[in-house]
């Protein structure tokens, strides 16, 4: 009896052990199969989870990129990444958010494709593209009506640069004759651009008030505006790069390369707007001014050219430089012409 009970207990123990081993094998089997499936399935190895991202998220990312890009190549490189990026990169939201640096097209790279790209951005409601293309058409391509219309479209959207450019057009009667000058309209446009923070417009308005040009003369208010725009330039330069500004101030030559020489501060010339830089490169590379009798604005960061002969004003002392506006004259005087200007032989008779 004792031996039989021992056998039965041994058999029960063996059965329990075999059952436990079977359960362990069943539990371990799915894990082994899962590992094999991850390691051996080529379809899952090639799976790209990036394709699962929604289009709205990618459009938002590309919009941020187009608005913050420092050059057009940044956006172009992203569009060449894949077909999906190329398709979503032409979304109206992405093109409408493109900033001026992203739209900075060089004159040597001007092609029909560049023109179509800017036009597409304009159609998407991009005000910067409307202003840049308007400047190119008005001055470089000599399509005055279309260029003025594009600049007006940007000005209606409160683009400060477009408002100031239209003010210069009104002051000079550009695209027409002297009879088309409208000084009051120019002052009004300058005031609106200055209110939006445009430095050149604020400087132009200050000189208009000082000289009584298109507005009732108010010397004190004009000087106040000029001091204000100079203070803004100092604050912007110092906040952006204080060590670099101090080094340039230490190495600056006396009397030249200074925006605030009257106040004891030396600052480098501000970077021109992409539209002005395009015009500088466009006319500088072609040299088509002397043969046509049309002069360029002597301020090196402007790039505007006369639309008719003797449209721009000459320097009253030397008569060797020309300016499209009082703001350009004041900037160029501080930057370089102050050290170069000297009375010469009467130039009025020679220019006729």
């Amino acid at each position: 009896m004792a031996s039989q009970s021992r056998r039965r207990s041994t058999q029960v123990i063996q059965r329990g052990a075999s059952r436990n081993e079977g359960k362990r094998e069943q539990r371990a089997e799915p894990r082994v199969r899962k590992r094999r499936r991850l390691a051996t399935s080529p379809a899952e190895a090639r799976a790209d989870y990036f394709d699962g991202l929604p289009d709205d998220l990618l459009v938002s990312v590309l919009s941020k990129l187009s608005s913050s890009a420092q050059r057009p190549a940044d956006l172009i490189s992203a569009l060449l990444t894949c077909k999906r990026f190329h398709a979503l990169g032409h979304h109206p939201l992405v093109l409408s958010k493109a900033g001026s640096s992203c739209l900075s097209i060089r004159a040597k790279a001007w092609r029909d494709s560049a023109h179509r790209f800017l036009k597409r951005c304009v159609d998407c409601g991009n005000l910067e593209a409307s202003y840049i293309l308007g400047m190119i058409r008005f001055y470089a391509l000599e399509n005055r009506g279309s260029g003025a219309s594009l600049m007006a479209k940007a000005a209606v959207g409160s683009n400060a640069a477009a408002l100031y450019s239209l003010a210069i057009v009104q002051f000079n009667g550009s695209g027409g004759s002297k009879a088309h000058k409208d000084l009051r309209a120019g002052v009004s446009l300058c005031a609106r651009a200055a209110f939006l923070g445009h430095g050149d417009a604020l400087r132009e308005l200050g000189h208009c008030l000082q000289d009584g040009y298109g507005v009732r003369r108010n010397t004190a208010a004009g000087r106040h505006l000029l001091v204000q725009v100079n203070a803004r330039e100092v604050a912007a330069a110092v906040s952006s790069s204080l060590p670099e500004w101090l080094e340039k101030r230490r190495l600056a030559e006396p009397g030249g390369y200074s925006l605030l020489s009257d106040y004891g501060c030396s600052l480098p010339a501000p970077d021109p707007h992409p539209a002005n830089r395009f015009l500088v490169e466009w006319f500088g590379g072609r040299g088509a001014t002397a043969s046509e009798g049309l002069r360029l604005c002597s301020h090196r960061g402007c790039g505007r050219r006369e639309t008719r002969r003797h449209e721009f004003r000459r320097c009253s002392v030397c008569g060797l430089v020309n300016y499209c506006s009082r703001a350009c004259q004041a900037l160029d005087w501080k930057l370089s012409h102050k050290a170069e200007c000297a009375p010469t032989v009467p130039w009025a008779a020679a220019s006729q």
Side-chain angles (χ1 to χ4, degrees):
M1 294 294 292
S3 61
Q4 291 180 357
S5 62
R6 288 177 184 175
R7 290 177 185 175
R8 291 177 182 176
S9 60
T10 303
Q11 292 176 357
V12 170
I13 292 172
Q14 290 178 351
R15 291 174 184 174
S18 61
R19 289 176 183 176
N20 292 334
E21 290 178 359
K23 291 181 179 179
R24 290 175 184 174
E25 291 178 358
Q26 290 177 359
R27 293 175 183 175
E29 184 178 1
R31 297 181 183 177
V32 174
R33 290 178 179 175
K34 186 175 183 181
R35 292 195 193 102
R36 290 177 180 174
R37 193 163 54 244
L38 289 174
T40 60
S41 176
E44 294 185 4
R46 294 193 303 267
D48 189 358
Y49 296 100
F50 187 77
D51 293 336
L53 295 177
D55 290 347
D56 294 344
L57 178 60
L58 296 181
V59 168
S60 177
V61 172
L62 291 174
S63 299
K64 292 290 185 181
L65 174 62
S66 64
S67 62
S68 60
Q70 298 299 317
R71 53 181 183 172
D74 295 340
L75 180 60
I76 294 174
S77 299
L79 298 185
L80 295 177
T81 303
C82 60
K83 293 182 178 180
R84 191 181 183 196
F85 267 29
H86 186 271
L88 296 178
H90 291 84
H91 191 276
L93 182 61
V94 177
L95 298 180
S96 66
K97 296 293 184 180
S100 58
S101 298
C102 186
L103 300 171
S104 179
I105 297 176
R106 311 306 292 264
K108 61 182 180 181
W110 181 251
R111 303 287 188 277
D112 290 340
S113 58
H115 197 167
R116 289 194 299 269
F117 174 72
L118 287 177
K119 184 63 171 63
R120 190 167 184 178
C121 292
V122 170
D123 296 338
C124 293
N126 192 310
L127 298 181
E128 280 293 332
S130 182
Y131 167 63
I132 293 174
L133 185 58
M135 288 281 286
I136 293 174
R137 287 186 178 180
F138 189 88
Y139 289 103
L141 305 181
E142 298 184 5
N143 191 342
R144 314 295 184 194
S146 177
S149 177
L150 287 173
M151 285 191 285
K153 181 179 180 179
V156 171
S158 296
N159 184 280
L163 286 164
Y164 175 64
S165 294
L166 288 177
I168 293 178
V169 171
Q170 295 296 329
F171 282 136
N172 298 323
S174 301
S177 63
K178 291 183 178 180
H180 290 87
K181 291 183 178 181
D182 193 340
L183 304 185
R184 291 186 177 181
V187 170
S188 177
L189 290 169
C190 265
R192 177 60 179 166
F195 175 76
L196 294 174
H198 197 276
D200 289 342
L202 188 61
R203 181 179 284 107
E204 181 78 18
L205 186 60
H207 284 289
C208 288
L209 287 170
Q210 276 192 327
D211 303 336
Y213 189 76
V215 66
R216 181 177 296 179
R217 186 172 184 178
N218 190 335
T219 305
R223 289 178 180 175
H224 175 75
L225 294 180
L226 294 179
V227 172
Q228 184 178 352
V229 68
N230 288 331
R232 287 185 182 182
E233 289 173 350
V234 172
V238 172
S239 61
S240 60
S241 55
L242 180 59
E244 183 180 356
W245 175 74
L246 292 175
E247 183 66 16
K248 289 181 178 179
R249 178 181 178 185
R250 184 178 66 83
L251 299 176
E253 298 179 0
Y257 206 68
S258 171
L259 284 177
L260 297 176
S261 57
D262 296 339
Y263 304 97
C265 299
S266 298
L267 292 176
D271 294 332
H273 191 277
N276 297 100
R277 183 166 59 247
F278 181 94
L279 295 179
V280 171
E281 295 176 357
W282 179 272
F283 292 117
R286 285 162 172 74
T289 57
S291 60
E292 300 175 10
L294 302 177
R295 305 168 299 184
L296 289 172
C297 180
S298 297
H299 175 38
R300 56 192 175 193
C302 177
R304 291 180 176 86
R305 192 180 73 161
E306 292 179 323
T307 59
R308 65 175 187 279
R309 296 190 63 184
H310 307 300
E311 177 183 340
F312 295 164
R313 59 178 61 84
R314 288 181 181 268
C315 176
S316 59
V317 178
C318 66
L320 300 176
V321 291
N322 319 280
Y323 301 105
C324 66
S325 61
R326 286 168 171 76
C328 283
Q329 183 177 7
L331 281 173
D332 191 59
W333 174 260
K334 294 289 183 69
L335 292 171
S336 61
H337 192 57
K338 183 177 182 180
E340 302 169 354
C341 186
T344 58
V345 179
W347 48 266
S351 63
Q352 295 177 356

